[in-house]
């Protein structure tokens, strides 16, 4: 596991308005990068671009394995995952939601059972395995979303506001999940409005200021 991401001179406009201008950064393997910035400053846009879900107008997204530059293809896309707040919850059980990524990748039954059970335990949702996902509380939904992103064992995980409108208990649980995965060497790029949370989690603090990505001294 040694996936690194370099973004160079990223520019992006939405409807003619420049959102990101000349954003450059090198995300090294391992550790937690936390991105803050006011509403509408382009955090989610930058995350989608990094996760290869949206193209910049100009600039370059380059993933590296060691020194080797990777092509943008399905193998690379399997290594990176973006988790959005409470988006795309399927109207089926928690188990089926979490195992979704394994099923679309054609995993076998026992692998699906084992890895999903692991993620249910990791997210504290073992008791909720058979519950219909839309009926979960918002904190549980958020934990489920992270479990669903992690089940395919990505090397880079992007979390867009993982604790927005979540109570203290669930926020703590989610922060524990993040710190546990960090120990396993996954690189994470997380957006948050919670400055105290940013300081708790971040190895490196980043901010979008005047459309540019800047490093904030700890
Ligand atoms: N698909 C889109 N189409 C048009 N405009 C968009 C689109 N996505 C984002 N924008 C605009 O780009 C700007 C940046 O939005 P973005 O969601 O990236 O900001 P953000 O920093 O994540 O904000 P927040 O803190 O509220 O989540 C906003 O003005 C937004 O309206
Ligand atoms: Mg956002």
């Amino acid at each position: 596991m040694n996936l690194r991401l370099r973004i160079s001179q990223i520019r992006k406009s939405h409807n003619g308005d420049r959102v990101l201008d000349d954003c450059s950064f090198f995300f090294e393997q391992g550790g937690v990068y936390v991105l803050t910035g006011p509403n509408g400053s382009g955090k989610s846009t930058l995350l989608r671009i990094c996760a290869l879900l949206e193209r910049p107008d100009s600039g370059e997204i380059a993933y590296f394995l060691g020194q080797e530059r990777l092509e943008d293809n399905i193998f690379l896309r399997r290594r990176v995952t973006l988790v959005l707040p409470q988006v795309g919850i399927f109207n089926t059980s928690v188990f089926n939601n979490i195992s979704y990524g394994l099923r679309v990748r054609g995993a076998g039954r026992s692998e699906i059972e084992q890895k999903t059970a692991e993620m249910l335990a990791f997210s504290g949702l073992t008791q909720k395995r058979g519950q219909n996902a839309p009926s979960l509380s918002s904190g549980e939904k958020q934990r489920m979303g992270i479990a669903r992103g992690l089940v395919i064992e990505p090397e880079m995980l992007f979390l867009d506001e993982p604790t927005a409108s979540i109570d203290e208990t669930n926020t703590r649980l989610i922060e524990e999940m993040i710190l546990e995965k960090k120990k396993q060497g996954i690189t994470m790029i997380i957006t948050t409005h919670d400055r105290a949370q940013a300081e708790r989690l971040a190895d490196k603090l980043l901010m979008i200021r005047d459309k540019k990505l800047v490093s904030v001294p700890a």
Side-chain angles (χ1 to χ4, degrees):
M1 220 164 26
N2 190 13
L3 193 66
R4 304 184 297 150
L5 164 63
R6 188 186 68 202
I7 63 172
S8 315
Q9 295 175 299
I10 299 297
R11 287 210 166 81
K12 181 75 183 180
S13 298
H14 283 304
N15 301 327
D17 283 334
R18 179 68 54 83
V19 179
L20 301 172
D21 192 13
D22 206 6
C23 291
S24 299
F25 198 75
F26 208 142
F27 297 93
E28 295 289 346
Q29 191 262 319
V32 179
Y33 296 87
V34 178
L35 177 57
T36 63
N39 288 129
S41 60
K43 302 180 296 296
S44 298
T45 301
L46 185 64
L47 231 50
R48 288 196 300 270
I49 289 173
C50 288
L52 305 169
L53 297 175
E54 191 170 319
R55 283 191 187 282
D57 299 331
S58 63
E60 190 187 54
I61 304 293
Y63 278 93
F64 294 87
L65 205 51
Q67 299 303 315
E68 183 200 351
R69 167 97 187 251
L70 299 177
E71 294 291 323
D72 179 0
N73 59 27
I74 188 157
F75 300 106
L76 170 57
R77 282 161 188 259
R78 283 178 182 183
R79 293 167 176 266
V80 301
T81 293
L82 172 66
V83 176
L84 297 166
Q86 298 177 32
V87 176
I89 288 171
F90 307 125
N91 188 21
T92 177
S93 67
V94 171
F95 183 93
N96 286 342
N97 269 270
I98 294 180
S99 61
Y100 174 76
L102 294 170
R103 283 183 282 120
V104 296
R105 283 164 174 74
R109 220 181 162 149
S110 64
E111 184 187 359
I112 291 174
E113 172 56 38
Q114 182 232 319
K115 288 187 172 165
T116 308
E118 223 170 85
M119 275 305 125
L120 281 162
F122 180 67
S123 56
L125 293 172
T126 302
Q127 309 304 323
K128 304 278 177 185
R129 160 184 184 122
Q131 189 171 325
N132 199 39
S135 68
L136 292 175
S137 76
S138 49
E140 291 164 349
K141 278 179 187 152
Q142 191 63 301
R143 274 146 56 202
M144 184 188 80
I146 297 172
R148 186 165 71 180
L150 284 170
V151 80
I152 57 162
E153 297 167 355
E155 290 164 63
M156 234 182 242
L157 184 69
F158 300 93
L159 297 173
D160 198 0
E161 309 224 21
T163 61
S165 55
I166 299 288
D167 70 13
E168 256 176 59
T169 307
N170 277 282
T171 297
R172 192 171 43 73
L173 287 170
I174 288 168
E175 288 185 7
E176 282 168 9
M177 289 170 76
I178 290 168
L179 292 172
E180 184 58 33
K181 280 293 146 184
K182 166 175 144 168
K183 276 195 221 151
Q184 295 172 21
I186 299 187
T187 309
M188 280 173 282
I189 306 173
I190 301 172
T191 65
T192 182
H193 279 108
D194 181 344
R195 183 64 199 221
Q197 173 175 68
E199 312 233 333
R200 284 195 294 276
L201 296 177
D203 293 306
K204 190 134 195 125
L205 258 181
L206 302 170
M207 209 182 160
I208 297 180
R209 190 185 286 148
D210 300 331
K211 306 180 176 59
K212 294 199 167 26
L213 184 60
V214 295
S215 201
V216 185

